[in-house]
Amino acid sequence: MQKITISSETAVPDKLWHGSFYESLAGNLLRWYDANKRELPWRDCRNAYFTWVSEIMLQQTRVAAVIPYFLRFIGELPDVKSLAECQPDRLMKLWEGLGYYSRVRNMQKAAQRIMSEYEGRIPGEYDEILRLEGIGPYTAGAIASIAFGKRVPAIDGNVLRIMARFTGSYVPVSDTGFRKEIHRLLSACIPKDRPGDFNQAMMDLGATVCVPKEGPACKKCPLSTGCFACIRQETESLPVKAQKKGRKIVPLTVLVIQDGKYTAIRKRKEKGLLAGMYEFPNVAGTLNEQEALQNVKNEGLDPLKIERIEDSFHVFTHLEWRMTAYRIRVAELDRENPEGDMRFVSKDESGQKYAIPSAFSAYIKYFKENG
Ligand code: SF4
């Protein structure tokens, strides 16, 4: 199966994303939705106001918790006019327990605008809905598709998670290019006759099957036959989340330098990160083979053979090492006269005497093989 890399620079292969593929994705999804959809009080009534209220409430709250709030709210404010005219104190009371009160204040402003500019009717075009106070692209897409049958996607975190897994994209889901690409793909998938159901099916799939924490229930999923993450068993590594702000990415090249018996390690500085611990020699940056070999020669060693071994990474609080690595066979290491700050140790010594931090755990197996 072809892995799709989605980024602002990389196009999605057309051979996968066209014609019958779209139809089968939408078809499978809608069949599943017809049999499994959640019964919710704002569903199946084609009421834009109900869709709007429910989507705003759902932004920070789970469905089960929202239902009683929703019923109470629309019981007292059943339409745009009543919302526009509601006393602010009463409005706050109706929202009490949901938090993020700016959401309901914005709803009231938008309701007042709908009264003055649209004669009390929520506009049906995506762009007009998007201009209303407190409504972002996801909510506008939900209202336009569910209440007005417009072919626009409603893309939230659930949908991005599903699509990252489905397409096998390792681009962080917050990436603007990724989001645009998913918008383009889903826009083409949405069937003309059931855009609202398509979006609601994605919502339900993200909430009940392709879930984040417990892991997806791929055996129950209507997309499993075409899903990269499911087929390749990579659901645990997808979606990729963006690095937290401020975490610095530090490229590093790790050198596992060995003769037939010993492995080179060195002690880290007494201050700073992993102070005083032992490590495989490493160099800042991503070195190619020639550069890695030169580096070993600069240490006074005589490299005989170089082999690229697996990449690894380690996350610290404020930075992340992205490690490229080489295993380099050298002529005999002189334990009595080690070069520079290096030591040449056996498998047993490494286990008993030298603390090698878990940041290098991917390479310990090479070390141990060499004792
Ligand atoms: S097959 Fe699994 S990983 Fe893929 S979309 Fe369905 S639940 Fe998510």
Side-chain angles (χ1 to χ4, degrees):
M1 177 185 190
Q2 180 163 8
K3 176 180 173 178
I4 305 170
T5 302
I6 296 182
S7 76
S8 9
E9 295 89 38
T10 312
V12 174
D14 283 345
K15 69 178 180 181
L16 188 54
W17 288 98
H18 67 59
S20 59
F21 185 78
Y22 291 145
E23 284 156 26
S24 72
L25 184 145
N28 289 343
L29 188 64
L30 287 169
R31 270 190 292 283
W32 172 85
Y33 180 67
D34 290 339
N36 296 283
K37 73 176 177 182
R38 295 174 294 176
E39 298 299 328
L40 301 170
W42 49 84
R43 275 203 172 149
D44 298 326
C45 52
R46 278 242 173 178
N47 182 319
Y49 177 70
F50 286 7
T51 305
W52 178 27
V53 172
S54 64
E55 289 299 340
I56 298 293
M57 285 184 172
L58 286 165
Q59 279 173 11
Q60 308 286 346
T61 315
R62 297 180 73 86
V63 166
V66 160
I67 291 174
Y69 285 102
F70 174 81
L71 293 173
R72 187 178 64 163
F73 194 91
I74 59 150
E76 190 158 331
L77 306 176
D79 50 30
V80 174
K81 184 170 183 290
S82 55
L83 171 59
E85 293 172 353
C86 183
Q87 287 300 315
D89 287 351
R90 184 63 198 150
L91 192 59
M92 293 301 117
K93 195 71 190 160
L94 284 171
W95 203 261
E96 194 177 57
L98 282 167
Y100 302 95
Y101 288 89
S102 61
R103 290 182 293 163
V104 73
R105 285 193 207 99
N106 278 330
M107 277 182 71
Q108 187 170 49
K109 282 185 202 159
Q112 290 162 351
R113 194 136 77 88
I114 292 167
M115 292 306 295
S116 62
E117 293 182 21
Y118 297 98
E119 299 174 339
R121 283 193 291 275
I122 296 173
E125 294 300 326
Y126 173 84
D127 290 340
E128 288 179 299
I129 300 169
L130 191 56
R131 280 198 288 273
L132 295 171
E133 285 81 353
I135 294 187
Y138 165 77
T139 307
I143 297 170
S145 62
I146 296 168
F148 299 104
K150 304 290 181 189
R151 287 185 70 210
V152 285
I155 300 174
D156 65 353
N158 284 334
V159 173
L160 291 171
R161 178 175 63 255
I162 294 168
M163 294 306 289
R165 286 171 173 167
F166 186 75
T167 61
S169 169
Y170 279 83
V171 175
V173 287
S174 58
D175 180 87
T176 311
F178 173 72
R179 285 169 177 249
K180 279 187 185 163
E181 201 63 2
I182 292 306
H183 190 280
R184 186 179 73 78
L185 295 174
L186 289 179
S187 297
C189 286
I190 294 175
K192 288 190 186 80
D193 55 338
R194 300 183 66 187
D197 284 349
F198 180 89
N199 284 335
Q200 290 179 102
M202 290 294 276
M203 292 172 194
D204 282 15
L205 193 74
T208 63
V209 177
C210 196
V211 293
K213 287 184 188 147
E214 301 81 5
C218 298
K219 285 184 182 158
K220 296 182 190 166
C221 181
L223 308 186
S224 60
T225 52
C227 175
F228 177 91
C230 174
I231 293 165
R232 297 282 289 266
Q233 300 185 336
E234 292 191 24
T235 53
E236 281 182 20
S237 52
L238 288 168
V240 171
K241 298 274 173 62
Q243 295 304 317
K244 282 188 181 161
K245 254 190 180 167
R247 186 177 287 155
K248 192 175 161 195
I249 303 295
V250 179
L252 213 61
T253 300
V254 175
L255 306 172
V256 180
I257 302 168
Q258 302 171 312
D259 64 4
K261 203 167 176 189
Y262 300 112
T263 301
I265 58 171
R266 70 181 180 195
K267 195 171 189 186
R268 290 181 63 82
K269 290 179 185 154
E270 292 300 333
K271 284 189 178 172
L273 190 67
L274 305 176
M277 299 182 84
Y278 286 87
E279 64 181 3
F280 293 101
N282 57 78
V283 186
T286 303
L287 273 53
N288 61 31
E289 283 192 7
Q290 289 310 314
E291 290 166 334
L293 287 170
Q294 188 56 53
N295 199 279
V296 172
K297 284 181 193 163
N298 293 346
E299 295 286 346
L301 300 170
D302 183 11
L304 304 174
K305 188 180 162 195
I306 186 164
E307 173 196 357
R308 181 89 154 76
I309 53 178
E310 67 264 45
D311 294 346
S312 182
F313 69 94
H314 189 80
V315 178
F316 298 93
T317 310
H318 301 299
L319 59 88
E320 178 178 335
W321 284 353
R322 295 270 173 88
M323 292 173 274
T324 302
Y326 296 96
R327 188 182 195 187
I328 299 167
R329 179 72 182 258
V330 294
E332 197 173 351
L333 293 165
D334 182 355
R335 274 164 59 95
E336 304 308 315
N337 299 292
E339 300 294 336
D341 55 357
M342 288 193 195
R343 294 171 193 219
F344 306 134
V345 300
S346 69
K347 175 177 78 172
D348 290 344
E349 286 169 331
S350 77
Q352 291 164 13
K353 282 172 65 178
Y354 300 103
I356 297 179
S358 61
F360 295 99
S361 60
Y363 308 113
I364 296 289
K365 65 184 177 197
Y366 295 102
F367 189 90
K368 288 183 175 173
E369 281 170 7
N370 188 42

